[in-house]
Amino acid sequence: MDTQHVVDLGDLGDRLIRDPHPVYARLREQGPVHRVRLPGWDDPAWLIVGYDEARAALADLRLAKDTSKIGVTVLDQEMIGKHLLATDPPQHTRLRGLVTRAFTMRRVEQLRPRIQQITDELLDEMLPAGRADLIGSLAYPLPITVICELLGVPAMDRAEFRTLSNEVVAPTSEQTEYEAVVRLGAYLTELIEDKGRSGPTDDLLSDLIRTTAEDGDRLSAQELRGMAFLLLIAGHETTVNLIGNGVHALLTHPDQLAALRSDMSLLDGAIEEMLRYDGPVHTATYRFAAESLEIAGAAIGRGDHVVISLTAAAHDDERYADPHRFDIRRDTRGHLAFGHGIHYCLGAPLARLEARTALATLLNRAPGLTLDGTPGAWLPGLLIRGMRSLPVRW
C-alpha cells in the first residue's frame, strides 16, 4: 500500500454522506488504512476502514483524545470543558468513575415505564393524522424528552435545542457551530448554578453535583458543564438516528419488516442489526497519535489525526458475510456502533431501551407502516449518520 498517496474525499461531493458503502468498499480493496483529506480539514488524516483495525484502534491508548497534549484546542472543550470523549487515563478513568456512580443500570431500568408513557403520548398525537415525519414526531422528541427529564433540564424550547444540537454534531458552518456551543455553554452554566443553589433533587445532574468518591474527589464546575454537555448531546442525537435509520431500514426491506411483525421476539436482534447496518455514528470522535505507531503497514507519525469509520467497519466483508444485506437474524456480535474499549458508550443501555420501546410500540400501533415519499437529506459531516426527515404513513 502506498501510504504517502492522499485520497481527497472532498472530490466525492455528498456521496460519502449519502451512500458511503461503495466508497469504503473501494478503499478496503486497496487496504484497511488510508491517508485522506477530509472535507473541511486543512491537514491530511489517517482513515481506518477495516473492521479488525478499527476495533484495535478504538482500544489503543496510543491514539489519544486530549488534544492539549499536542497543543490543539477543540471548540467544545475550550468553551464547555473536558468530558469523557476528550480525556485519556488517568483523567478519563477518574471522570468515568464519578459519572458511573450516578448513571447506573438501576437508574436506566427505572426509566422504562416513563419511556413507554412518552412513546404512547407521542403516538397518540401522531397516529390520527395517518401520516407524519417520523423524525419530528417520534424519533427526536422521545430521546430529547427522556434525557432532559433524566438530567433535570427544565422544559426548554425543544425546537431551539434541536437546532443548537444539530449545529454541534453536524455543523453547517464554523460560525453557526461556534454560536451554538457558546449558547449551550451559557445555558448549562446557569443550569448547574441553579441546581447548586436549589438543594437536592432526584435527577442525574443533581446527583453528579453531589457525587463524591471515597477519597473525597468531586467533579469541578467546568467538568460538570462538560459532562452535562456530553450527556445532553450524545444522550439524544444517537438515539434519534438509531430509531430513524432503523425504521428506514425496515421499510426499505419489506421481507425483514414482515419477519419482525410475525415474530416480535426478533426485535432485540433487529435493533443490533440496525446498529450494524446503518448505525447513528459514522466515525468515532477525534483521535490523534500520542506516539509514532504502525497500523496495517501504515506508518502513523506522532500528532497525526486518526479517523475510525464505524460505518466502514460494519460493512467489512472480512467480518460480516454479505455485509450490505440487512438481515435481522444476523449474528451481529462485536459490532462497533457504540465503540469499543474505555470509550465504549456509557448510554448504550438507555439507547437500546428507548429504541426497543419506540419500535415495538410503533409496529404494534401502526399496521401498514410504509414510506410516504423521499426521506430528507442526510445530515452533513462525518460524525452523525441520520436523515433530517423520514415521511411515513400507515
Side-chain angles (χ1 to χ4, degrees):
M1 178 177 63
D2 179 8
T3 56
Q4 298 307 310
H5 175 65
V6 178
V7 179
D8 192 340
L9 298 179
D11 291 344
L12 299 172
D14 70 347
R15 276 186 292 160
L16 190 59
I17 293 170
R18 182 168 37 85
D19 188 15
H21 304 305
V23 176
Y24 289 138
R26 285 194 297 273
L27 287 174
R28 261 194 313 272
E29 289 173 1
Q30 302 163 45
V33 184
H34 295 268
R35 193 76 161 146
V36 301
R37 192 176 303 281
L38 296 166
W41 286 43
D42 294 329
D43 298 320
W46 294 99
L47 176 68
I48 299 178
V49 295
Y51 173 88
D52 288 339
E53 294 75 17
R55 182 178 171 87
L58 288 168
D60 192 332
L61 296 182
R62 294 174 298 176
L63 297 179
K65 309 280 283 181
D66 185 352
T67 58
S68 65
K69 293 177 180 176
I70 53 170
V72 174
T73 57
V74 178
L75 180 61
D76 65 313
Q77 298 174 35
E78 185 179 16
M79 305 295 295
I80 303 283
K82 293 288 188 182
H83 50 70
L84 291 175
L85 292 181
T87 51
D88 304 310
Q91 187 180 13
H92 176 274
T93 309
R94 170 183 163 267
L95 288 177
R96 186 148 182 148
L98 286 166
V99 173
T100 52
R101 284 173 170 269
F103 192 24
T104 62
M105 280 296 299
R106 180 171 174 268
R107 178 171 235 134
V108 171
E109 187 56 34
Q110 287 173 337
L111 291 171
R112 185 181 295 272
R114 178 59 180 145
I115 292 171
Q116 184 65 62
Q117 180 185 8
I118 296 167
T119 302
D120 287 333
E121 290 171 353
L122 290 169
L123 290 178
D124 287 345
E125 186 175 346
M126 181 183 105
L127 292 176
R131 56 178 48 182
D133 166 24
L134 191 82
I135 305 297
S137 298
L138 178 64
Y140 172 74
L142 171 60
I144 190 60
T145 302
V146 170
I147 199 65
C148 284
E149 290 186 0
L150 174 64
L151 283 170
V153 175
M156 57 198 295
D157 183 337
R158 302 289 163 80
E160 181 186 15
F161 182 79
R162 184 183 186 188
T163 301
L164 295 178
S165 179
N166 277 346
E167 278 300 326
V168 171
V169 301
T172 53
S173 74
E174 288 186 10
Q175 182 62 31
T176 54
E177 180 186 15
Y178 175 82
E179 291 170 357
V181 171
V182 169
R183 287 165 68 186
L184 280 171
Y187 175 81
L188 292 172
T189 297
E190 185 177 346
L191 177 66
I192 290 166
E193 289 174 352
D194 285 348
K195 286 187 177 294
R197 287 191 296 264
S198 63
T201 52
D202 188 28
D203 60 74
L204 179 57
L205 192 51
S206 294
D207 276 3
L208 288 172
I209 292 171
R210 295 191 300 266
T211 292
T212 306
E214 285 89 345
D215 61 0
D217 186 24
R218 302 178 74 169
L219 294 169
S220 69
Q222 186 187 48
E223 289 168 343
L224 278 167
R225 189 173 62 219
M227 289 309 307
F229 173 82
L230 177 64
L231 290 167
L232 262 176
I233 302 294
H236 86 275
E237 280 287 356
T238 51
T239 310
V240 172
N241 298 302
L242 167 55
I243 295 170
N245 296 358
V247 171
H248 182 256
L250 285 174
L251 297 183
T252 53
H253 297 81
D255 61 322
Q256 299 300 300
L257 176 59
L260 180 57
R261 283 193 178 281
S262 66
D263 182 3
M264 287 299 287
S265 71
L266 296 172
L267 180 57
D268 287 338
I271 290 170
E272 299 309 306
E273 174 67 345
M274 292 167 189
L275 285 161
R276 181 207 69 85
Y277 178 77
D278 217 354
V281 181
H282 189 145
T283 62
T285 50
Y286 189 101
R287 279 171 170 79
F288 68 92
E291 61 184 78
S292 297
L293 69 151
E294 184 177 300
I295 301 177
I300 296 170
R302 183 182 182 278
D304 285 359
H305 299 164
V306 178
V307 178
I308 305 166
S309 175
L310 307 182
T311 292
H315 284 247
D316 185 346
D317 57 9
E318 291 290 322
R319 170 66 186 185
Y320 298 108
D322 196 7
H324 306 318
R325 179 171 56 88
F326 180 65
D327 179 4
I328 64 173
R329 293 184 176 89
R330 180 193 297 275
D331 181 356
T332 60
R333 280 178 295 184
H335 75 68
L336 304 174
F338 290 120
H340 177 62
I342 65 168
H343 293 288
Y344 183 84
C345 178
L346 192 68
L350 178 58
R352 285 184 168 111
L353 175 58
E354 290 179 274
R356 192 185 201 290
T357 304
L359 287 162
T361 311
L362 175 66
L363 294 178
N364 179 54
R365 295 186 57 183
L369 184 71
T370 187
L371 289 174
D372 187 32
T374 305
W378 290 92
L379 293 171
L382 291 179
L383 177 60
I384 294 292
R385 179 152 176 80
M387 295 160 283
R388 291 200 182 278
S389 61
L390 183 61
V392 293
R393 56 186 169 82
W394 47 91

